[in-house]
Amino acid sequence: VFTDVEKYRKPGSIVSSNTSGLSVAGMTVGRSEDFRRHFMVTHFFNPVRYMRLLELIPCADTDPDLFAGMAEFGERILGKGIVYGKDTPNFIANRVGVFGSTAVIHWMKEFGIGVVEADKVFGPTMGRPSSAVFRTADIVGLDTMAHVIRTIAEGCPNDPWLARFEVPKFMADMVAKGLLGSKTGGGFYKKVRDASGSKIQAINLETLEYEDQPDGRLAAIGAARKQETTAGKVREMVYFDDKYGQLAWKVTAESAIYSAELLGEISDDIVNIDRGMRWGYNWELGPFEAWDAMGLERSVARMKEEGMTVPPVVETLLAKGEG
């Protein structure tokens, strides 16, 4: 495509890609110096009219002034929140966000938790959108989600959590059956009609059959709702002593650790990572803000008790004694 673009583009014109997975360096191989100087990635998050995030990634030869001008245009004219990424697979928000989704899938299986309950845990009570994990996947498309997971597995062979980036069998089976989400009328959820009217059923991940959603409220959510702030709700959820609190804890703790491990690789600072998740995934708290909400010393002590590896940057932060 860019070979054809270069034939007809006016010298000095900007060329950008909306990719979320292709290599920036790879896309400029064989291109002229003028093309490379005017090339960058402008990754808008879908749906673009609602989502604030715009990830900007330069190539090695992008004109710095042009890059700064694009950031100003994105922020002032388009009203976007700019996050600066690096040339790594899935950049910032999708790298962290997909890890979070795979962590949910991993631990809900360990705790025997279904799709509906997992979405209840990772909904508004945890400062997440009401679409949570699996309703969001239905909107995105399970085929797209599987592709993004594979992109990380193939492009990040040295990722410390590489084993997590394997498309779950149930997801592969759903894609094979055409259960791709909203665009096919059924994914993790499906609207059905019977004699009593229409209702939303959820898939059973063991049988891949749709079932009525289970009734009942979760005690952890009831306790969290008594807190006035998002930070308070998150703290109540992750330390609640049942399997739903355990799910909230494991996923939130691992996401925080993963984000800290990627500092320097996907971003040079915690701010771009937190903004990426708030603006791209509509989280109220980014992974580092959520870590503060859990309490740094308390959470690190529990992580170590459970055999998690705490990144050196966090150990340094604790050693400085500044909270």
Side-chain angles (χ1 to χ4, degrees):
V1 171
F2 288 142
T3 299
D4 285 338
V5 168
E6 187 158 25
K7 291 178 185 177
Y8 302 106
R9 68 177 282 270
K10 179 181 178 180
S13 59
I14 299 170
V15 183
S16 75
S17 169
N18 190 53
T19 184
S20 63
L22 295 176
S23 162
V24 183
M27 288 187 287
T28 58
V29 170
R31 304 280 64 83
S32 67
E33 180 185 356
D34 187 77
F35 187 104
R36 296 196 308 272
R37 285 186 62 247
H38 293 84
F39 181 79
M40 67 189 76
V41 163
T42 51
H43 181 216
F44 292 85
F45 262 58
N46 277 318
V48 178
R49 63 189 180 279
Y50 298 127
M51 303 305 291
R52 188 179 176 191
L53 180 59
L54 170 56
E55 288 182 318
L56 293 182
I57 300 91
C59 73
D61 300 313
T62 303
D63 183 328
D65 292 335
L66 189 73
F67 189 69
M70 180 63 83
E72 183 178 14
F73 173 76
E75 186 171 40
R76 294 192 179 185
I77 306 302
L78 302 182
K80 297 297 181 181
I82 307 300
V83 163
Y84 298 97
K86 296 189 174 190
D87 190 7
T88 56
N90 293 342
F91 308 131
I92 293 177
N94 278 338
R95 180 77 174 272
V96 175
V98 171
F99 174 83
S101 296
T102 60
V104 171
I105 291 168
H106 174 84
W107 287 108
M108 62 188 282
K109 183 179 180 180
E110 291 289 319
F111 296 130
I113 294 172
V115 165
V116 175
E117 293 92 343
D119 270 358
K120 286 181 179 179
V121 171
F122 286 99
T125 311
M126 286 290 289
R128 308 289 180 84
S130 57
S131 57
V133 177
F134 295 103
R135 289 186 189 277
T136 298
D138 277 354
I139 295 169
V140 171
L142 272 70
D143 51 342
T144 300
M145 186 173 181
H147 173 72
V148 174
I149 293 173
R150 283 192 291 267
T151 298
I152 298 176
E154 295 167 2
C156 306
N158 298 318
D159 190 288
W161 299 77
L162 186 62
R164 289 286 179 88
F165 295 106
E166 181 177 340
V167 178
K169 184 179 184 302
F170 70 77
M171 187 178 293
D173 290 343
M174 289 174 71
V175 171
K177 293 178 68 172
L179 304 176
L180 307 182
S182 302
K183 60 187 174 185
T184 59
F188 291 108
Y189 295 91
K190 182 179 182 179
K191 188 175 184 178
V192 298
R193 288 185 174 276
D194 58 20
S196 61
S198 62
K199 58 184 176 181
I200 304 294
Q201 291 186 324
I203 202 165
N204 181 317
L205 296 182
E206 297 294 328
T207 65
L208 296 191
E209 299 292 331
Y210 290 97
E211 302 172 348
D212 289 343
Q213 297 188 39
D215 295 325
R217 298 181 178 181
L218 306 186
I221 292 177
R225 283 178 175 168
K226 296 176 182 178
Q227 299 293 321
E228 294 183 357
T229 65
T230 300
K233 290 181 173 69
V234 168
R235 189 162 49 250
E236 188 71 34
M237 284 290 292
V238 300
Y239 293 120
F240 198 86
D241 190 18
D242 67 5
K243 64 180 182 180
Y244 303 108
Q246 285 275 1
L247 177 65
W249 158 255
K250 289 288 190 181
V251 174
T252 307
E254 288 185 350
S255 295
I257 289 171
Y258 187 66
S259 298
E261 288 174 338
L262 293 179
L263 280 171
E265 179 182 341
I266 65 171
S267 172
D268 287 330
D269 59 77
I270 66 173
V271 177
N272 274 287
I273 295 177
D274 275 352
R275 285 177 173 173
M277 301 317 298
R278 285 195 279 110
W279 295 342
Y281 278 72
N282 275 352
W283 293 7
E284 291 184 38
L285 300 176
F288 295 101
E289 293 167 317
W291 205 335
D292 275 344
M294 292 189 293
L296 197 60
E297 291 188 6
R298 181 183 181 185
S299 62
V300 167
R302 181 174 175 181
M303 289 170 181
K304 291 180 177 179
E305 287 174 6
E306 297 181 6
M308 299 182 190
T309 301
V310 178
V313 66
V314 180
E315 297 281 19
T316 301
L317 181 63
L318 285 170
K320 288 177 69 70
E322 296 175 1

